[in-house]
Amino acid sequence: MAANRMLAPPIEIHTSVSGYNQSESVRTDMCQLQSQDAESPESDAQSPEPSASLQVPSPSSPAKQSLGGSTLRARADSSLSVAETARSRTDSFNSTMTAETARSRSNSQITNTTSRFEGDELSTEEALRPDKNNERDFEVTDNPFAYSPGQLNKTLNPKSLAAYKALGGLRGLEHGLQTDLVAGLSVDETLTKERVSFEEARRYGKEKKLPHAGRVIGHDVATGDFEGKGQYHDRIRVFKDNRLPAKKSLSIWMLFWNAFNDRVLIILTIAATISFALGLYEALGQAHEPGEGASVDWVEGVAIAVAVVIVVLVTGLNDYRREKQFAVLNAKKEDRQVKAIRSGKSVMISVFDVMVGDVLHLESGDSIPADGILISGHGIRCDESSATGESDAMKKSAGQEVWERIEEGTANSKLDPFIISGSKVLEGVGTYLVTSVGVNSSFGKIMMSLQTENEDTPLQAKLAKMANWIGYLGTAAAGLLFFVLLFRFLAGLSNNHDSPAVRGSTFLDIFIVAVTIIVVAVPEGLPVAVTLALSFATKRMLKENNLVRHLRACETMGNATTICSDKTGTLTQNKMTVVAGIMGSKVRYARDVNGIAGEQNHLPSAAAFGQLSNAVKGVFLQSCAINSTAFEGEENGEFTFIGSKTETAILTLAKEQLGMGPVAEERAGVNIVQMIPFDSDRKCMGVVVRLSSGTYRLFVKGAAELMLVKATTEIANTAGENLVECDLTEESRARVSKSIEDFAWQSLRTIAMLYKDFSQWPPAKARTSEEDRTMAIFEDVFHDMTLLGVVGIQDPLRDGVARAVKQCQDAGVKVRMVTGDNVMTATAIATQCGIKTADGLVLEGPKFRQLSDEEMDRAIPHLEVLARSSPEDKRILVARLKHLGETVAVTGDGTNDGPALKTADIGFSMGIAGTEVAKEASAIILMDDNFSSIVSAIMWGRSVNDAVAKFLQFQITVNITAVVLAFVSAVSSPDFHSVLSAVQLLWVNLIMDTFAALALATDAPTEKILNRKPTPKKAALITTNMWKMIIGQAIYQLVITFTLYYGGSSILGYAKSDKTLQTELNTMVFNTFVWMQIFNEFNNRRLDNKFNIFEGVHRNGFFAIINCIMIAGQIMIVFIGGAAFQIKRIDGTQWAICILCALPCLLWAIVLRCIPDRYAAAIFSFTNNVFLFIARPTMKALLFVFKPVVKSWQALAAGVFSPTVRFTKRTVRRFSRRSSIESERSVKDEEAGQVMHMAPQTPDTPQKYKPFTPRTPTSPDPSVPALTMQPPPITLTTA
């Protein structure tokens, strides 16, 4: 172990030497002064660590802070710099000192200063020391790998080059994790038999050199299931897999408890218990008259308790089913495919199957699935704001380059080889080694701490508020009923000669009826109906290629008023083929000569490419194969190219016409110097290669009309032996431009290919990147290009797109095309789709973004095509549409589409062509990238809103009827009994809160749902038509039930003194009431004024099953309910009367639908005004009277019920917490194979790290190395 030492701040001494080139002398002097870093542990223990500066034994030297961490780059005739890293090229020197690398050029000045990364002076043990809260991550039993998860995690949180150094760098990680940086993991790996120690892995990192891995393109790709049974057993045991533990859902018993933990149900249960006790006392504790049987009043208490149990069971099971459905959807939502290298081949695997030791590809737009170290790459920048809070794009350095800088002593804190899970790749391509997955990764740790409950959707929040208001009104009615009956009861006590038990039972009956009315009045089924509708809709939408990521999008999509759609892959098939093109400005070719409009001098493609000389063909081939990120591979057993469809079309052309072999072979001998990833703003991509002659060639391809502006020369003779260039004249430019327009009007995407040669790279006058001086700024070299050719790519329309666009337009949803293609191509495609109309407006992105807000607001209503647009143009369009009051849906597939997808009300990303950034920014993923799936989302969104409206209409009707019927009958009854008993009301509550929600929330939409306009954002939940049906049906049901209850005896000839006949009459009233609800459920299947209420009923199995259950339950209750329901079995005639009284509600609904909505609105407005005129002063008076009563009740509830409820909740939580802790311990022990404990130190058991405790000089410990005091270092700077 290296000795611990303390370093004082360095001192800088600047010396000027002039007149000659000092590089050799400086190298000699510096090498004599530098301290060598011994590679053996013994050497480390004997020698102090090297200092970045000349150390002079002068303890009295004044301390001065050095410019540590600065980077220096000297140029010719430049002044001293502390801003850039300087590395010499000609006459350069290599220094192993811990200082900045100096790059000198001829006659340049040299600046050298101390530069260190944080923790450079730490020993291996200190760099990998565990934190107190994660010591268990460092303990792994029987670990065949060199590292534990805790040691690998030390490289991050925060990023630590010291930990990276302690692990042995990239090669040490490769050896210690038993993987291969080129071939990746073996697909045949199961158990890991080889054992690698920590020290062995570190030595391997220092000894072995990394083979050249500069190129990251050119792997064979295969798709399929590459996870075998038992595969990577030891890796999963030691490092876990890439899954986060699902948020522990509530058990079925806790859901039952939550359902029961409703204040009203608790009160009802207490009342039922008291009623049962009083009933038993009456039956068993009192003498009875001769001939009278024992009292059966206790049955009511049992029946109420049973009804409460049924309500709790049904509600709990419903919640359990909903939780399971959403759990399945969430698992599907988070799964995706990533590209890994296994056994030397690039394969697509599930993100859940990523292992520590895997080699993964990185591309622009990827969301990084696991932590790791960059192996190699070109221009990789990552957005780590979601993981680290760092807002700047982070430039990544290759792991081996960083290791070499550490070994040379030239590393600084700006070097960053760390790939952090959860971050986004903004640009560049590369590969990286996975070091942490799942719960051990940075993103996993964050997500584990942020697991929260699902938030309510806007519709759920609205309905919850409405349910509260309805509940308040119902509670007020129940309170009024209770006090009216209480006053009557108290007034009659003087003449009441019943026993105390009977009088107590009578009072309890009054209380139970009042509480039961609250149960019926509170529409707790409203939020449940929304949840059921969303659950059902999202599950069915997944089958129709819509993966809903956010539930609120499902309901919002039904009200969308405009869709901003991409063209490629959404409206078109994304199956691209090169069908025409130009070589230079003169040679035109086409796959089908007769099928190309315009000038008729096109050659067949085979003939045109057959005339090319080898030199020209080689340039064309390199432009197609090298300047591409597509791969070769297999899909469904067939050979294909995988990647961007534009690039695969060009590769297919190269294979068919240029004789291109395997792409990997074409790229094998190419030295790629710089890659310029595709950028949606500049509409192009490029690559720089070093030629065998030592010169450099830049290849660029992109949007043809934009590339043509940058071209000044062209290939003079495509058949000539040598590559000859000539000026691109105005005539030639016009000829190419005319061909581009001809291709565009035929709906062809036009791509131009350019190139330019350079003698050096970066060019002398070009600016370079601040992070890497070998990378030139693209804009500085992208000019005076040579035109190689233009290709026209055909992408046919998807089947059914024109019909889907027409459906949207009929549904009141305006479709706009937002595309990066030129205006001619975009207009041609939009016309074929039906998007572009005769008076529609077409704008280009550059012109659109220059408009003022007022001009945009005037133009946008007529805008139908936005061509040559950037992602920022799309975002601006979406924002202005929302400002105009539109509900906007937008599609996107690229990384830069994220802001537009976030801004829109509903963002649709592409499941096939979309990047992970776009998918995470979206609310719905189109699994098939098809515009027709958006139409399906509109239908299901409207279906959700309709399901909620249907249930709302049904429930409010039942609420009004039940509350009024129970209130009036109880007040008018001499024995204080409602015609509907407490148990009967609970059965009605079960029907309307659960069964009806299931039946009405599961109607699948039909295409007729698109024949109406979207619902405005501020529209009321209950429309005029709904109020018409609610009030109309409530009036009919009240008239029928009151007629039967008050006039039934006279109509049917029943003697009022006959208690049996009166019980039968009450049973008929109850039976008729329930059957009216069953028939009215059919009425509520339609929300418009059309008459066919049975349309599509045969396609909804839930509706049929639920109605069968309700009918069977009602028949069973009437036949065997008896004393529990306070009813008596009725005969066939009485059954017929019940059905015939209930059935006309279907005919009455037809009458109501014939009333025009405008007349109904006028009547409601007048009635509402009259009601408010009377109700406002009445409510103020009631509030004044009952406010003290309410406060007294609240005080009583707080003093009596709240402590009991809190005690019960605490007890349950304590028990649940104890059970969960025990279950977690048992799971961890089972995974480890045995209970974790401290084992003796063996070769197979890693040492457990102990916290470092510094000791004072007064208590020396021979086992702890002494602190070596050293004088302040001095930094020598020569210029």
Side-chain angles (χ1 to χ4, degrees):
M1 180 181 301
N4 296 304
R5 59 191 177 87
M6 301 178 65
L7 291 178
I11 296 175
E12 296 184 349
I13 298 178
H14 301 270
T15 307
S16 177
V17 183
S18 59
Y20 61 97
N21 190 328
Q22 315 95 314
S23 56
E24 287 298 327
S25 61
V26 170
R27 180 175 60 185
T28 305
D29 295 340
M30 290 289 188
C31 291
Q32 292 172 356
L33 295 170
Q34 69 181 356
S35 301
Q36 300 295 335
D37 182 13
E39 299 200 6
S40 64
E42 295 79 3
S43 177
D44 285 345
Q46 296 170 3
S47 304
E49 291 184 9
S51 171
S53 46
L54 177 63
Q55 297 180 0
V56 181
S58 176
S60 61
S61 300
K64 178 181 177 182
Q65 186 171 354
S66 70
L67 299 175
S70 300
T71 7
L72 308 170
R73 179 186 296 270
R75 293 178 177 264
D77 301 320
S78 65
S79 60
L80 293 177
S81 170
V82 291
E84 306 292 343
T85 304
R87 294 185 182 177
S88 64
R89 299 202 175 198
T90 60
D91 299 324
S92 64
F93 65 90
N94 295 323
S95 173
T96 57
M97 295 177 59
T98 314
E100 288 297 315
T101 302
R103 297 181 183 178
S104 68
R105 295 188 181 178
S106 177
N107 299 323
S108 66
Q109 296 177 340
I110 301 173
T111 302
N112 189 29
T113 186
T114 303
S115 176
R116 288 189 163 182
F117 56 86
E118 185 177 355
D120 182 26
E121 71 282 356
L122 296 179
S123 66
T124 299
E125 182 177 348
E126 291 171 332
L128 299 180
R129 175 176 296 156
D131 300 325
K132 290 183 179 179
N133 58 349
N134 62 358
E135 290 183 351
R136 295 191 65 176
D137 293 342
F138 289 74
E139 302 172 12
V140 179
T141 303
D142 191 26
N143 187 359
F145 304 100
Y147 312 113
S148 65
Q151 291 172 323
L152 295 174
N153 286 342
K154 290 296 288 185
T155 58
L156 299 172
N157 298 321
K159 300 175 184 176
S160 172
L161 287 177
Y164 178 64
K165 174 184 176 182
L167 293 174
L170 190 60
R171 296 300 291 180
L173 288 169
E174 175 191 31
H175 189 66
L177 296 177
Q178 302 192 39
T179 184
D180 190 286
L181 297 180
V182 178
L185 294 178
S186 170
V187 296
D188 299 323
E189 179 185 323
T190 53
L191 296 175
T192 306
K193 298 181 180 179
E194 184 181 353
R195 294 285 189 268
V196 179
S197 68
F198 181 83
E199 290 300 328
E200 183 182 352
R202 292 194 73 233
R203 285 197 302 270
Y204 187 87
K206 293 185 177 182
E207 294 171 359
K208 195 169 182 179
K209 298 297 183 182
L210 180 68
H212 179 67
R215 293 188 321 102
V216 293
I217 54 177
H219 299 281
D220 293 335
V221 179
T223 58
D225 183 10
F226 286 84
E227 287 299 309
K229 187 175 181 180
Q231 199 175 26
Y232 307 118
H233 177 272
D234 278 342
R235 288 187 190 276
I236 296 174
R237 178 178 62 81
V238 174
F239 301 113
K240 305 291 188 294
D241 58 11
N242 202 29
R243 285 179 173 85
L244 295 180
K247 184 173 71 70
K248 190 174 182 181
S249 59
L250 296 176
S251 66
I252 186 69
W253 305 109
M254 286 301 298
L255 291 174
F256 287 150
W257 170 254
N258 289 343
F260 175 72
N261 199 19
D262 179 83
R263 183 174 298 178
V264 180
L265 287 182
I266 292 173
I267 294 173
L268 204 57
T269 303
I270 295 172
T273 305
I274 297 173
S275 175
F276 175 71
L278 287 176
L280 284 180
Y281 175 74
E282 291 179 20
L284 304 177
Q286 288 188 330
H288 302 281
E289 296 292 334
E292 281 189 17
S295 173
V296 291
D297 288 347
W298 59 271
V299 174
E300 183 180 19
V302 174
I304 293 173
V306 171
V308 169
V309 170
I310 292 174
V311 170
V312 169
L313 288 176
V314 172
T315 305
L317 290 172
N318 199 8
D319 291 342
Y320 183 74
R321 174 178 170 273
R322 180 194 64 188
E323 292 276 346
K324 290 299 181 184
Q325 281 191 347
F326 284 140
V328 172
L329 286 174
N330 286 334
K332 177 69 176 176
K333 177 180 69 178
E334 294 176 3
D335 191 14
R336 56 189 171 92
Q337 296 289 303
V338 296
K339 193 179 297 181
I341 300 176
R342 296 269 177 95
S343 294
K345 292 186 177 181
S346 292
V347 297
M348 301 300 293
I349 62 174
S350 168
V351 68
F352 297 141
D353 296 330
V354 174
M355 301 289 164
V356 170
D358 260 322
V359 177
L360 300 185
H361 284 283
L362 292 175
E363 295 180 10
S364 177
D366 282 352
S367 179
I368 296 173
D371 295 337
I373 303 295
L374 182 66
I375 299 174
S376 60
H378 289 280
I380 293 183
R381 291 178 179 271
C382 295
D383 175 12
E384 298 177 352
S385 57
S386 61
T388 65
E390 178 61 51
S391 58
D392 295 336
M394 305 302 293
K395 174 76 168 59
K396 299 299 176 180
S397 307
Q400 187 64 16
E401 177 188 348
V402 174
W403 173 254
E404 290 171 356
R405 295 280 297 274
I406 291 174
E407 290 289 280
E408 294 172 359
T410 61
N412 59 45
S413 297
K414 292 183 179 179
L415 295 175
D416 185 2
F418 306 110
I419 306 297
I420 301 180
S421 56
S423 58
K424 315 293 187 301
V425 181
L426 298 179
E427 58 184 62
V429 293
T431 56
Y432 81 101
L433 175 68
V434 175
T435 57
S436 295
V437 296
V439 295
N440 295 318
S441 66
S442 303
F443 186 67
K445 293 179 184 296
I446 294 174
M447 293 306 294
M448 289 298 292
S449 63
L450 294 180
Q451 285 185 342
T452 57
E453 299 290 333
N454 294 327
E455 63 177 10
D456 288 342
T457 67
L459 187 56
Q460 284 174 321
K462 279 185 182 179
L463 289 176
K465 291 180 181 179
M466 175 174 282
N468 289 337
W469 278 107
I470 296 174
Y472 295 151
L473 293 175
T475 304
L480 182 61
L481 173 63
F482 175 75
F483 285 107
V484 169
L485 296 181
L486 179 63
F487 293 152
R488 283 184 55 197
F489 172 74
L490 295 176
L493 279 179
S494 59
N495 299 323
N496 191 337
H497 303 292
D498 293 332
S499 65
V502 174
R503 282 180 288 180
S505 178
T506 303
F507 171 78
L508 196 61
D509 288 342
I510 295 173
F511 180 74
I512 288 174
V513 169
V515 173
T516 308
I517 286 180
I518 298 176
V519 174
V520 175
V522 175
E524 63 268 14
L526 283 179
V528 174
V530 184
T531 305
L532 285 173
L534 289 172
S535 172
F536 181 73
T538 50
K539 187 175 181 181
R540 294 291 297 273
M541 287 174 70
L542 183 59
K543 295 180 180 178
E544 298 182 16
N545 299 310
N546 284 277
L547 176 58
V548 179
R549 299 185 68 251
H550 303 298
L551 285 179
R552 65 174 59 234
C554 187
E555 65 190 42
T556 308
M557 191 59 206
N559 301 324
T561 58
T562 184
I563 300 173
C564 299
S565 174
D566 285 338
K567 175 185 76 70
T568 305
T570 308
L571 299 172
T572 61
Q573 297 180 16
N574 207 17
K575 296 179 179 179
M576 299 192 183
T577 308
V578 177
V579 296
I582 318 168
M583 298 176 186
S585 65
K586 302 179 179 61
V587 180
R588 296 173 178 80
Y589 61 90
R591 172 172 289 192
D592 180 8
V593 176
N594 297 324
I596 296 297
E599 301 179 19
Q600 301 298 314
N601 58 346
H602 292 81
L603 295 174
S605 297
F609 282 97
Q611 296 176 359
L612 297 180
S613 65
N614 291 334
V616 176
K617 185 179 293 187
V619 177
F620 261 104
L621 186 57
Q622 278 195 324
S623 180
C624 296
I626 307 304
N627 190 17
S628 172
T629 58
F631 295 87
E632 284 178 322
E634 290 185 4
E635 214 166 45
N636 300 324
E638 297 181 0
F639 171 84
T640 186
F641 292 108
I642 298 175
S644 163
K645 297 302 179 181
T646 302
E647 296 188 11
T648 58
I650 295 175
L651 287 179
T652 302
L653 172 73
K655 182 179 180 181
E656 293 176 352
Q657 305 297 339
L658 297 174
M660 182 184 73
V663 176
E665 294 181 8
E666 297 292 341
R667 296 169 176 168
V670 179
N671 183 5
I672 296 177
V673 177
Q674 181 175 345
M675 294 186 71
I676 300 97
F678 177 80
D679 185 271
S680 54
D681 291 328
R682 57 182 177 234
K683 306 290 184 186
C684 65
M685 64 183 294
V687 65
V688 181
V689 299
R690 178 170 180 148
L691 305 179
S692 57
S693 61
T695 59
Y696 299 85
R697 179 168 291 164
L698 167 65
F699 290 102
V700 179
K701 69 179 178 188
E705 64 273 20
L706 299 181
M707 299 298 102
L708 185 60
V709 175
K710 299 294 184 179
T712 56
T713 58
E714 62 169 319
I715 295 180
N717 183 8
T718 58
E721 288 299 323
N722 298 319
L723 197 61
V724 180
E725 302 168 0
C726 65
D727 291 339
L728 184 64
T729 64
E730 291 301 320
E731 180 184 356
S732 299
R733 188 182 298 274
R735 196 162 48 240
V736 175
S737 181
K738 179 65 170 59
S739 296
I740 292 173
E741 290 183 10
D742 290 342
F743 292 156
W745 283 118
Q746 297 170 71
S747 304
L748 301 184
R749 167 176 284 189
T750 53
I751 302 294
M753 291 183 283
L754 314 175
Y755 77 93
K756 183 179 181 180
D757 289 336
F758 297 88
S759 59
Q760 67 179 36
W761 194 265
K765 296 183 179 180
R767 291 174 298 164
T768 57
S769 171
E770 293 183 1
E771 290 82 4
D772 189 345
R773 292 303 182 182
T774 64
M775 301 295 174
I777 301 298
F778 179 66
E779 286 71 17
D780 286 7
V781 297
F782 186 39
H783 56 80
D784 299 330
M785 305 291 291
T786 300
L787 176 64
L788 192 56
V790 177
V791 293
I793 303 175
Q794 184 182 60
D795 187 11
L797 280 181
R798 285 185 179 271
D799 296 335
V801 161
R803 179 174 177 271
V805 171
K806 182 66 167 55
Q807 286 178 314
C808 289
Q809 293 169 344
D810 292 342
V813 182
K814 187 174 182 63
V815 182
R816 294 175 169 88
M817 178 192 288
V818 184
T819 179
D821 282 339
N822 63 47
V823 66
M824 287 85 73
T825 304
T827 303
I829 293 289
T831 304
Q832 294 179 36
C833 295
I835 295 175
K836 176 69 174 67
T837 58
D839 56 348
L841 180 63
V842 178
L843 286 176
E844 289 186 298
K847 185 180 295 185
F848 172 77
R849 70 178 74 109
Q850 292 174 1
L851 299 177
S852 65
D853 289 346
E854 294 76 14
E855 291 172 330
M856 282 187 184
D857 292 346
R858 289 196 298 269
I860 283 175
H862 309 285
L863 180 65
E864 293 178 342
V865 177
L866 185 60
R868 206 44 94 196
S869 64
S870 68
E872 180 61 17
D873 297 330
K874 183 188 291 188
R875 188 198 63 78
I876 294 172
L877 174 61
V878 171
R880 296 313 301 174
L881 283 168
K882 291 183 69 176
H883 174 75
L884 294 173
E886 304 274 5
T887 301
V888 188
V890 66
T891 67
D893 56 5
T895 301
N896 293 336
D897 287 330
L901 292 169
K902 280 288 188 184
T903 305
D905 294 289
I906 314 101
F908 286 90
S909 63
M910 305 295 110
I912 300 173
T915 63
E916 293 306 321
V917 173
K919 291 176 184 177
E920 289 192 11
S922 66
I924 300 177
I925 299 176
L926 296 178
M927 306 299 288
D928 59 351
D929 292 7
N930 195 340
F931 184 84
S932 299
S933 298
I934 299 179
V935 179
S936 174
I938 295 175
M939 292 170 59
W940 278 106
R942 294 188 176 187
S943 175
V944 168
N945 294 327
D946 285 358
V948 173
K950 293 173 186 176
F951 179 73
L952 188 60
Q953 180 174 301
F954 173 80
Q955 184 163 55
I956 294 179
T957 304
V958 182
N959 274 8
I960 294 174
T961 311
V963 171
V964 172
L965 181 61
F967 186 94
V968 173
S969 60
V971 170
S972 62
S973 172
D975 56 358
F976 312 109
H977 283 170
S978 166
V979 65
L980 299 177
S981 68
V983 181
Q984 292 171 5
L985 285 173
L986 287 173
W987 166 244
V988 172
N989 184 66
L990 186 65
I991 288 175
M992 70 179 188
D993 273 352
T994 302
F995 291 153
L998 284 169
L1000 294 174
T1002 51
D1003 267 336
T1006 63
E1007 291 188 358
K1008 292 183 180 180
I1009 205 171
L1010 298 173
N1011 295 336
R1012 67 171 193 258
K1013 301 302 179 183
T1015 304
K1017 287 182 178 180
K1018 297 183 179 180
L1021 284 174
I1022 305 178
T1023 63
T1024 300
N1025 186 60
M1026 292 171 64
W1027 276 123
K1028 180 178 67 176
M1029 298 300 296
I1030 290 169
I1031 296 176
Q1033 286 292 337
I1035 291 173
Y1036 174 82
Q1037 293 179 15
L1038 288 173
V1039 168
I1040 294 297
T1041 51
F1042 282 148
T1043 301
L1044 276 176
Y1045 181 62
Y1046 291 107
S1049 298
S1050 302
I1051 296 171
L1052 300 176
Y1054 293 167
K1056 292 187 177 181
S1057 58
D1058 191 335
K1059 290 186 177 180
T1060 301
L1061 291 177
Q1062 288 302 315
T1063 304
E1064 290 179 359
L1065 182 60
N1066 289 344
T1067 303
M1068 291 174 64
V1069 173
F1070 166 64
N1071 196 31
T1072 303
F1073 178 79
V1074 172
W1075 278 97
M1076 282 192 291
Q1077 310 316 317
I1078 293 173
F1079 290 136
N1080 191 40
E1081 192 180 0
F1082 286 85
N1083 285 330
N1084 290 309
R1085 294 191 70 249
R1086 289 204 81 103
L1087 294 172
D1088 52 22
N1089 287 323
K1090 295 181 180 178
F1091 298 149
N1092 186 6
I1093 60 176
F1094 300 102
E1095 182 180 357
V1097 70
H1098 60 284
R1099 293 194 295 268
N1100 189 349
F1102 267 111
F1103 188 87
I1105 293 171
I1106 293 300
N1107 277 277
C1108 289
I1109 292 174
M1110 287 193 295
I1111 291 171
Q1114 180 63 20
I1115 292 173
M1116 184 175 65
I1117 287 171
V1118 172
F1119 275 92
I1120 65 175
F1125 281 82
Q1126 299 180 13
I1127 60 176
K1128 186 173 179 60
R1129 182 181 298 186
I1130 57 178
D1131 57 25
T1133 303
Q1134 293 167 326
W1135 265 101
I1137 293 172
C1138 295
I1139 299 298
L1140 291 176
C1141 287
L1143 191 59
C1145 74
L1146 298 176
L1147 302 177
W1148 178 243
I1150 295 176
V1151 175
L1152 293 174
R1153 287 189 168 97
C1154 291
I1155 301 174
D1157 288 349
R1158 62 181 182 277
Y1159 295 158
I1163 295 171
F1164 294 151
S1165 179
F1166 175 77
T1167 306
N1168 182 56
N1169 291 334
V1170 174
F1171 174 77
L1172 291 177
F1173 180 76
I1174 299 172
R1176 280 172 179 165
T1178 306
M1179 291 299 295
K1180 288 181 180 179
L1182 290 174
L1183 183 61
F1184 178 77
V1185 173
F1186 289 106
K1187 190 173 183 179
V1189 179
V1190 171
K1191 287 186 175 180
S1192 301
W1193 170 254
Q1194 289 177 344
L1196 178 64
V1200 176
F1201 299 115
S1202 297
T1204 306
V1205 173
R1206 286 198 301 269
F1207 173 77
T1208 308
K1209 286 183 177 180
R1210 284 198 301 267
T1211 304
V1212 172
R1213 279 199 301 266
R1214 191 176 296 114
F1215 177 76
S1216 301
R1217 193 182 301 117
R1218 187 179 303 148
S1219 301
S1220 62
I1221 291 174
E1222 291 176 357
S1223 63
E1224 288 177 4
R1225 287 177 178 172
S1226 63
V1227 168
K1228 289 182 179 179
D1229 293 342
E1230 184 178 352
E1231 289 176 352
Q1234 61 181 15
V1235 178
M1236 294 293 185
H1237 62 277
M1238 284 300 297
Q1241 182 68 21
T1242 64
D1244 293 334
T1245 305
Q1247 179 183 357
K1248 177 176 178 178
Y1249 291 89
K1250 300 179 180 179
F1252 176 74
T1253 305
R1255 297 179 180 271
T1256 61
T1258 57
S1259 57
D1261 189 337
S1263 65
V1264 178
L1267 295 174
T1268 304
M1269 304 293 294
Q1270 293 199 1
I1274 296 177
T1275 302
L1276 176 64
T1277 303
T1278 57

